[in-house]
């Protein structure tokens, strides 16, 4: 097993789906965390939400997909989708190269308060997932 | 402001080979294989475990065939150079040093039970495939499948050499199931080098040299065949003493068939059932009934046990040491978000129920 480092911006809100949200008044800009990207590998398809759609908090609204893996995208808060990152249609791997900047996925105008995780809270999510994966890691290492 | 946190990797990724690459020093591996060996970042949906490693020979000059559906085709002009050299069956096939792959395989504790070494159309492929297989024979305990390009195998003696190189399974990528389809997609109609009769000759040599049911024939559903034509081909292959392994056509960017839709799910499901019945000698194609469009409307026996079990809908391929299919090719035919034609793992109850419904799709009684 080897160790690497991962950078987590402290000014973002996170959730257990490995998504981030940045407040850019009057809306949240959202994307997928570097941890998720690192685990998933090169993205091959991003299922973007529909601009103008009204969604509930936690509602499934899209997908992120690498060669052998797919996960849903969820609304971090109730609101209206105001824009999506069209550049991801042609080049989904932007998410790999720049998960917190050019690789943003959608923006949402909230109708409620976003209850997310701080960077410390998100770190616990990562540690819990790594712990769950540890037996498999050990098994492979032996 | 950012914080840096340590993360744990199973293994350090291995750098892909860059620049000129030629087998046997370098080979391509499936994305699934590279991920499983920890050479490439990535993970699998549904906690799928890969049971077989797929390797593909490569040459700077590329594959010299022109199969109309294949991402390796010599004339695949409408994609970037990078994609042409590194993607196949819709995903990346990274290139590594053969030494690096062997080192990782030895470290894999035998979880992957089989390696499949696939040729491309090139005069060097026969010798180079044998060289790679010898390394796996001498240095690992994996079963070895030789996925040969029939056109470069010109004699029974060459098949014997493949056996001596360590292969215990001999597989032939036939792909198309009728002479006309074969010619149109791989042969003269595609300005390609492959010939139907020669492929059959090589299958017969395979059965003679490797023994009955130690030869496999790859068939691709969705190249324009009817279900009847595919079932008849499966029966002919089985009667010859060879297994059949099913694949589903998926349009690949830049190929001649890039705009052709995949065959309907029902088409594939019915062929999976027919194949299972024929290969397990539970039924024969002569006992099946077809409608005017060549669709299977009656399998000639009770298929309820097959639907309850679901094994017929799993990926078909060469077996591992435990007798179960070792070539499970997860998400090999479609993107992971799509309905899977080949299930890489045993089906759960919901998947079995869904497959039973899919079996009836697009069926005109």
């Amino acid at each position: 097993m080897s160790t690497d480092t991962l950078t987590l911006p402290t000014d973002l809100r996170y959730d257990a789906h490995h998504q981030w949200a940045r407040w850019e008044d009057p809306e949240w800009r959202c994307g997928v965390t570097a941890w998720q990207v690192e685990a998933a590998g090169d993205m091959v398809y991003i299922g973007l939400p529909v601009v103008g759609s009204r969604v509930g908090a936690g509602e499934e609204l899209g997908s992120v997909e690498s060669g052998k893996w797919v996960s849903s995208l969820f609304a971090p808060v109730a609101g209206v989708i105001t824009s999506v990152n069209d550049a991801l249609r042609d080049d989904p791997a932007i998410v790999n190269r720049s998960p917190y900047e050019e690789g943003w996925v959608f923006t949402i105008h909230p109708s409620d308060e976003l209850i997310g995780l701080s960077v410390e809270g998100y770190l616990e999510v990562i540690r819990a997932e790594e712990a769950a994966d540890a037996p498999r890691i050990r098994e492979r290492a032996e | 402001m950012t914080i840096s946190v340590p993360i744990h990797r199973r293994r350090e990724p291995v750098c892909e080979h860059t620049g000129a690459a030629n087998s046997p020093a370098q080979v391509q591996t499936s994305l699934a294989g590279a991920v499983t060996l920890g050479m490439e970042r990535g993970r699998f949906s549904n906690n799928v475990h890969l049971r077989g490693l797929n390797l593909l020979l490569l040459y700077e000059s590329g594959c010299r065939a022109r199969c109309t559906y294949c991402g390796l085709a010599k004339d695949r002009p409408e994609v970037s150079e990078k994609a042409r050299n590194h993607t196949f069956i819709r995903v990346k096939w990274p290139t590594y040093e053969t030494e690096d792959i062997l080192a990782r395989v030895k470290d894999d504790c035998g979880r992957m039970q089989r390696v499949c070494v696939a040729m491309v159309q090139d005069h060097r492929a026969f010798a180079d495939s044998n060289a790679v297989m010898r390394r796996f024979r001498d240095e690992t305990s994996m079963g070895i499948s030789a996925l040969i390009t029939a056109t470069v195998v010109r004699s029974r003696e060459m098949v014997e050499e493949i056996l001596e190189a360590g292969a215990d399974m001999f597989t032939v990528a036939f792909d198309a199931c009728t002479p006309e389809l074969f010619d149109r997609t791989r042969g003269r109609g595609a300005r390609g080098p492959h010939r139907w009769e020669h492929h059959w000759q090589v299958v017969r040599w395979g059965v003679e040299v490797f023994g009955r049911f130690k030869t496999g024939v790859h068939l691709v559903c969705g190249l324009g065949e009817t279900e009847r034509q595919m079932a008849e081909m499966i029966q002919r292959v089985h009667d010859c003493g060879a297994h059949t392994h099913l694949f589903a056509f998926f349009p690949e960017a830049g190929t001649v068939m890039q705009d052709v839709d995949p065959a309907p799910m029902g088409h594939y499901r019915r062929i999976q059932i027919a194949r299972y019945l024929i290969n397990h000698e539970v039924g024969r194609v002569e006992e099946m009934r077809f409608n005017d469009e060549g669709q299977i409307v009656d399998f000639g026996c009770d298929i309820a046990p097959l639907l309850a079990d679901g094994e017929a809908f799993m990926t078909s391929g060469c077996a591992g040491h435990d007798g179960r299919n070792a070539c499970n090719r997860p998400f090999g035919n479609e993107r992971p978000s799509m309905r899977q034609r080949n299930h890489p793992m045993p089906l759960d109850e919901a998947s079995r129920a869904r497959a039973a419904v899919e079996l009836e799709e697009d069926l005109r009684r």
Side-chain angles (χ1 to χ4, degrees), chain B residues 130-203:
Chain B
N130 288 346
V132 172
M133 288 192 294
R134 279 189 207 100
R135 295 292 307 274
F136 277 85
R137 177 196 65 190
D138 294 343
E139 299 175 42
T140 78
S141 60
M142 298 171 95
I144 300 173
S145 297
L147 174 49
I148 61 104
T149 299
T151 304
V152 305
V153 176
R154 306 303 307 173
S155 68
R156 183 190 152 116
E157 288 69 32
M158 292 176 83
V159 178
E160 290 168 351
E161 277 189 61
I162 292 169
L163 180 68
E164 287 159 14
D168 63 323
M169 285 294 296
F170 181 81
T171 53
V172 181
F174 230 103
D175 296 356
C177 70
T178 71
E180 295 75 22
L181 269 180
F182 188 97
D183 188 70
R184 189 196 314 160
T185 57
R186 311 194 68 197
R188 291 186 181 86
R191 295 181 299 118
H194 301 311
R195 299 293 178 263
W196 171 264
E197 279 309 327
H198 178 69
H199 274 61
W200 268 112
Q201 179 59 63
V202 173
V203 170

Side-chain angles (χ1 to χ4, degrees), chain B residues 17-78:
Chain B
H17 178 91
T18 54
N22 286 289
S23 295
Q26 293 87 29
V27 291
Q28 284 179 277
T29 178
S30 69
L31 177 61
V35 167
T36 299
L37 292 174
M39 303 177 87
E40 176 85 10
R41 292 178 311 166
R43 66 202 313 192
F44 294 96
S45 281
N46 306 326
N47 292 318
V48 168
H49 297 281
L50 185 71
R51 287 170 51 82
L53 176 63
N54 295 95
L55 301 180
L56 180 65
L57 301 189
L58 84 162
Y59 300 99
E60 279 180 85
S61 48
C63 179
R64 300 205 173 261
R66 289 189 168 95
C67 304
T68 56
Y69 51 88
C70 182
L72 299 177
K74 187 180 172 191
D75 302 328
R76 192 187 169 198
E78 293 167 32

Side-chain angles (χ1 to χ4, degrees), chain B residues 67-73 75-76 78-79 83-84 86-93 249-262 332-333:
Chain B
C67 304
T68 56
Y69 51 88
C70 182
L72 299 177
D75 302 328
R76 192 187 169 198
E78 293 167 32
V79 293
R84 182 158 55 248
H86 299 284
T87 67
F88 175 46
I89 324 179
R90 82 177 174 75
V91 293
K92 177 180 179 182
W93 279 63
F249 164 74
F250 188 88
E252 187 131 32
T255 62
V256 173
M257 290 180 69
Q258 66 174 355
D259 296 322
V260 176
D261 288 333
N333 286 136

Side-chain angles (χ1 to χ4, degrees), chain B residues 221-278:
Chain B
C221 295
L223 298 182
E225 76 288 339
T226 67
E227 293 162 28
R228 178 177 206 139
Q229 288 169 333
M230 185 59 83
E232 286 173 347
M233 177 67 169
I234 291 167
Q235 187 69 63
R236 183 178 173 188
V237 171
H238 185 80
D239 291 346
C240 175
H243 282 304
T244 48
H245 304 151
L246 289 185
F247 296 73
F249 164 74
F250 188 88
E252 187 131 32
T255 62
V256 173
M257 290 180 69
Q258 66 174 355
D259 296 322
V260 176
D261 288 333
M265 180 65 87
H267 177 85
Y268 198 73
R269 290 280 178 254
R270 290 185 288 278
I271 289 171
Q272 281 179 308
I273 291 285
R275 175 200 161 273
Y276 192 90
L277 292 170
I278 292 167

Side-chain angles (χ1 to χ4, degrees), chain B residues 310-328:
Chain B
E311 190 185 336
F313 305 118
M314 289 175 64
T315 312
S316 47
C318 299
H321 304 312
D322 58 6
R324 294 190 296 132
N325 174 31
C327 183
N328 59 337

